[in-house]
């Protein structure tokens, strides 16, 4: 067992007004983020995506095992394969599997089985959760809180991509097992979601939806 090692925390405390201003500025910034379904094919520098992925990798995780893997797809042939496989699953979902109630819930978003963004966007980031890790001595150990950890890292990634001046779409064709086959990932890794990333199309529009107000999402005791 390795021994705990500690170092001083690097932390900046802000005066109260500056803290409030920072909280408000970030709130206003994040409130403008929208999930986008119409992408431009305008290229995005790879370094920007790399920086965003490093940010995602700073997320907290169970036992700091960092149980995630990101596959960044820009190859048009691979994007095409993903689109074909995803649209097959989506067709099954919209035409057969989805209960009426689910389709009703999706109606305000205007989604259907056609997913052209999977080829239009410059990057598809496939996010996988890893059920096991290899220790430095080669032993295979179980990862903890994989869903929570990967969910948090994905949140960081969405915020980083938006902060860089790009847009994204959290896309979850179901089931997503085809991603292991197409992207050559081991069966121990489970696809978490596909983050479609790039610039919005010039004529991109978004559904008119609202977010719940604070008093509906939080209780102070
Ligand atoms: N995966 C489908 C359906 C879908 C499901 C939910 I829940 C959404 O919030 C949006 C879409 C699709 O991508 O169309």
């Amino acid at each position: 067992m390795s021994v705990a090692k500690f170092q001083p925390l690097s932390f900046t405390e802000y005066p109260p007004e500056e803290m409030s201003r920072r909280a408000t500025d970030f709130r206003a910034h994040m409130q403008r983020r929208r999930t986008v379904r119409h992408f431009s094919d305008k290229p995005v520098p790879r370094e920007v995506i790399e920086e965003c992925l490093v940010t995602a990798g700073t997320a907290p995780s169970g036992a700091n095992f960092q149980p995630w893997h990101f596959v960044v797809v820009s190859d048009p042939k691979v994007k095409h394969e993903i689109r074909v496989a995803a649209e097959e699953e989506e067709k099954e979902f919209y035409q057969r599997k989805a209960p009426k109630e689910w389709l009703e819930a999706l109606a305000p978003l205007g989604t259907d089985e056609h997913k052209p963004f999977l080829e239009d966007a410059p990057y598809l980031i496939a996010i996988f959760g890893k059920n096991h890790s290899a220790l430095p001595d080669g032993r295979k150990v179980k990862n903890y809180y994989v869903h929570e950890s990967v969910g948090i890292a994905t949140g960081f990634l969405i915020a980083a991509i938006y902060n860089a001046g790009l847009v994204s779409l959290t896309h979850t064709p179901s089931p997503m097992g085809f991603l292991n086959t197409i992207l050559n990932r081991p069966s121990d890794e489970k696809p978490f979601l596909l983050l479609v990333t790039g610039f919005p199309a010039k004529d991109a529009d978004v559904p008119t939806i609202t977010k719940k107000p604070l008093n509906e999402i939080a209780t102070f005791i």
Side-chain angles (χ1 to χ4, degrees):
M1 226 207 306
S2 59
V3 194
K5 250 173 72 185
F6 287 86
Q7 65 187 40
L9 171 68
S10 164
F11 176 80
T12 311
E13 182 171 327
Y14 301 106
E17 318 77 61
E18 191 176 348
M19 191 163 68
S20 288
R21 186 173 47 73
R22 290 174 67 93
T24 302
D25 287 353
F26 192 62
R27 186 268 300 153
H29 177 58
M30 292 304 286
Q31 265 182 333
R32 292 191 59 216
R33 187 203 62 80
R34 291 299 309 259
T35 290
V36 169
R37 291 187 171 79
H38 306 107
F39 283 80
S40 154
D41 60 3
K42 184 178 155 109
V44 169
R46 175 177 157 152
E47 305 79 70
V48 173
I49 302 300
E50 287 176 351
E51 289 287 21
C52 294
L53 289 168
V54 174
T55 300
T58 67
S61 63
N64 190 37
F65 279 178
Q66 304 162 57
W68 41 67
H69 189 80
F70 304 93
V71 181
V72 183
V73 181
S74 57
D75 182 334
K77 289 198 295 292
V78 182
K79 286 197 285 183
H80 178 72
E81 273 187 76
I82 291 177
R83 178 181 179 181
V84 169
E87 286 186 335
E88 214 169 286
E89 296 297 358
E90 295 292 17
K91 203 166 155 199
E92 188 65 18
F93 172 80
Y94 282 97
Q95 295 184 2
R96 261 182 285 279
K97 287 202 308 210
K100 194 165 142 271
E101 198 179 75
W102 195 342
L103 293 177
E104 275 168 17
L106 292 180
L109 304 180
T111 56
D112 61 26
E113 69 261 40
H114 303 292
K115 306 297 178 190
F117 49 73
L118 293 173
E119 290 190 88
D120 296 339
Y123 290 109
L124 308 179
I125 306 177
I127 305 172
F128 291 85
K130 292 159 64 109
N131 287 326
H132 296 89
S133 285
L135 293 184
D137 65 9
R139 263 187 308 141
K140 194 173 145 177
V141 291
K142 204 174 99 63
N143 286 331
Y144 305 101
Y145 298 102
V146 174
H147 272 90
E148 293 82 349
S149 304
V150 179
I152 296 167
T154 300
F156 277 30
L157 182 58
I158 292 168
I161 286 169
Y162 172 62
N163 184 61
L166 298 167
V167 296
S168 68
L169 164 66
T170 44
H171 181 46
T172 52
S174 172
M176 274 190 286
F178 63 84
L179 288 174
N180 289 76
T181 315
I182 296 175
L183 303 176
N184 217 354
R185 299 308 303 172
S187 59
D188 192 48
E189 289 183 8
K190 299 285 171 255
F192 184 70
L193 60 77
L194 206 48
L195 198 65
V196 184
T197 302
F199 289 101
K202 285 234 157 14
D203 60 352
D205 58 5
V206 289
T208 303
I209 54 171
T210 54
K211 298 293 181 185
K212 293 177 184 173
L214 180 62
N215 67 347
E216 278 183 40
I217 64 167
T219 307
F220 288 69
I221 296 177

